[in-house]
Amino acid sequence: MRRTMLLIIATTILALVVQQNNACFVKSTLRFIQKTIVRWDGFDAKYLQTLAINDKNVDIKYWNSKLGNHKSIKIRFDHEYELSKHWIPDMPLKVIIHGWLDSIVHEDGVSCIKTAYLKVGGYNVITVDWGGIAGFRNYMLPLLMVSKIGARLAKVLDNIVDFEIVEPSDIHLIGHSLGAHIAGVCGSLMKSGKIGRITGLDPAGPGFEFAKLQKKGLKKSDALFVDIIHTSGGSTGLYHSAGHADFFPNGGSVPQPGCYDGIKFDRIIGLVGCSHSRAYMLYADSVYYPGTMMAYKCLSWNEFVSDDCDNDEKTPMGHRASPKVRGDFYFRTTSSPPYNDPYAPKEDL
């Protein structure tokens, strides 16, 4: 835990002090820091073998607007056929997966996306609560369990498809932080067909991008369309593009608007956490206000700020993102919801 905190502090200081146009220096320095701090040191890998992935420590539930925001159906492994009693026919499936130190029961966390879809209505929703493992404060354990949890979810979704409840192309996985990589593993292991879409909400960087301890993580081949929203790139989130379409609100790094309150040591961790969580808050906002956060394809944030992007290539970020777009997209947001910035350049589709 101490090493992970040192990583977050060090990378945050870099993000605040170094200008974004010194990208090569930032990346090389981050690589050195993460290789130095994030190590296996003393972690007992045998402990992983004692952890069985079952219906107790990976709680998978089904929701829809008819059931309401406070009533769900527990999905039992090999009993997925029971969902047919509650399923909304001919409507897509949204699968929501939280990240490290989170849980679906936390209403102020990634659960806000589930709430958004239920309030809007018309969707089948599944939540994957692996809080019993994600709550382990030694980051190494949740990190190394990503593959097992992703494999379990793939089997559950394959069963749902086999029972002819939904088609793989109508499945959309939405994962935050480590949950984004769980989604990627799930997509890569699906046997019934290629998943339609995976949205990575600031996928975890430590252990995946630098100082790699996990070989399996989110990549563009895991679904027909993979879109990624970067909000703390180079610290807790991925720095590089990894999807078919990568979105970089406000440059995609720390601090996001509303998260900066001066360089004070006791606030650095909160600053990073605020920016890291902004990804799922932006996505939830895109469900309530679809098509409002228009992103423009560009080579870099500096070019976007200089208005050197091709305004003909654009797409809404989040819920309404076009599966046909490819490349890196930039846009501005406000510091609080609704996050659409009226002063950012935008045009109607």
Side-chain angles (χ1 to χ4, degrees):
M1 178 66 178
R2 186 175 70 87
R3 291 183 182 275
T4 304
M5 292 300 103
L6 286 172
L7 168 65
I8 295 174
I9 292 172
T11 52
T12 302
I13 292 174
L14 275 175
L16 292 174
V17 174
V18 181
Q19 294 294 321
Q20 290 189 25
N21 56 2
N22 293 324
C24 292
F25 175 78
V26 174
K27 287 185 281 187
S28 61
T29 307
L30 287 174
R31 187 176 294 109
F32 170 77
I33 291 173
Q34 290 188 318
K35 284 185 176 180
T36 303
I37 295 175
V38 181
R39 295 183 182 274
W40 189 276
D41 293 349
F43 187 80
D44 187 4
K46 293 182 179 180
Y47 182 67
L48 291 174
Q49 304 302 319
T50 67
L51 286 176
I53 302 299
N54 52 48
D55 290 339
K56 293 183 179 180
N57 55 23
V58 180
D59 188 15
I60 303 178
K61 294 181 177 179
Y62 171 79
W63 313 71
N64 64 37
S65 55
K66 294 180 180 178
L67 293 170
N69 195 36
H70 300 289
K71 183 179 180 181
S72 60
I73 306 299
K74 183 176 179 63
I75 300 176
R76 296 183 298 153
F77 187 62
D78 281 338
H79 289 76
E80 290 84 358
Y81 60 86
E82 296 174 344
L83 288 179
S84 60
K85 304 174 185 177
H86 309 280
W87 200 266
I88 302 177
D90 303 319
M91 296 305 294
L93 169 63
K94 305 293 181 180
V95 182
I96 303 165
I97 314 164
H98 65 79
W100 181 43
L101 299 180
D102 199 2
S103 171
I104 290 298
V105 300
H106 298 157
E107 288 295 331
D108 59 343
V110 73
S111 179
C112 66
I113 298 175
K114 178 263 292 183
T115 300
Y117 275 119
L118 295 184
K119 286 187 176 180
V120 170
Y123 296 93
N124 296 292
V125 179
I126 286 177
T127 56
V128 181
D129 191 342
W130 60 291
I133 298 171
F136 199 86
R137 291 193 173 274
N138 185 331
Y139 179 72
M140 295 300 108
L141 175 62
L143 169 68
L144 295 172
M145 292 299 289
V146 162
S147 295
K148 286 190 173 183
I149 298 168
R152 176 70 168 196
L153 179 59
K155 291 179 180 178
V156 170
L157 294 181
D158 272 330
N159 285 345
I160 293 175
V161 172
D162 289 343
F163 288 124
E164 299 183 346
I165 297 175
V166 69
E167 293 294 326
S169 59
D170 288 329
I171 298 176
H172 178 192
L173 304 183
I174 306 166
H176 175 242
S177 191
L178 286 180
H181 296 296
I182 291 174
V185 172
C186 173
S188 69
L189 296 178
M190 286 283 290
K191 296 179 180 180
S192 54
K194 183 77 78 172
I195 282 181
R197 180 183 175 187
I198 295 177
T199 298
L201 304 175
D202 209 36
F208 291 92
E209 190 167 44
F210 305 113
K212 295 183 179 180
L213 297 176
Q214 260 288 14
K215 295 182 180 179
K216 294 182 179 180
L218 179 60
K219 54 188 182 301
K220 63 176 66 176
S221 61
D222 295 331
L224 296 175
F225 177 56
V226 175
D227 59 310
I228 296 176
I229 301 172
H230 301 259
T231 54
S232 68
S235 55
T236 49
L238 292 180
Y239 187 92
H240 299 91
S241 302
H244 294 106
D246 287 72
F247 295 84
F248 298 86
N250 311 296
S253 61
V254 176
Q256 288 292 309
C259 293
Y260 179 64
D261 191 22
I263 303 178
K264 298 181 180 180
F265 181 80
D266 60 341
R267 297 180 182 178
I268 288 178
I269 302 301
L271 183 152
V272 176
C274 173
S275 296
H276 191 41
S277 63
R278 184 58 57 86
Y280 62 72
M281 297 173 72
L282 290 176
Y283 189 91
D285 209 49
S286 76
V287 178
Y288 290 120
Y289 309 102
T292 58
M293 284 178 279
M294 192 64 66
Y296 293 80
K297 186 175 182 179
C298 209
L299 295 177
S300 69
W301 173 246
N302 285 337
E303 288 199 10
F304 174 82
V305 172
S306 300
D307 200 23
D308 290 333
C309 303
D310 183 355
N311 287 341
D312 290 334
E313 293 196 63
K314 56 187 178 294
T315 183
M317 181 228 67
H319 172 63
R320 286 276 185 88
S322 170
K324 297 180 180 180
V325 298
R326 298 292 183 269
D328 295 342
F329 295 81
Y330 296 84
F331 62 104
R332 293 185 179 92
T333 73
T334 60
S335 59
S336 59
Y339 290 103
N340 180 49
D341 186 345
Y343 297 103
K346 58 181 181 297
E347 298 176 17
D348 292 333
L349 282 175

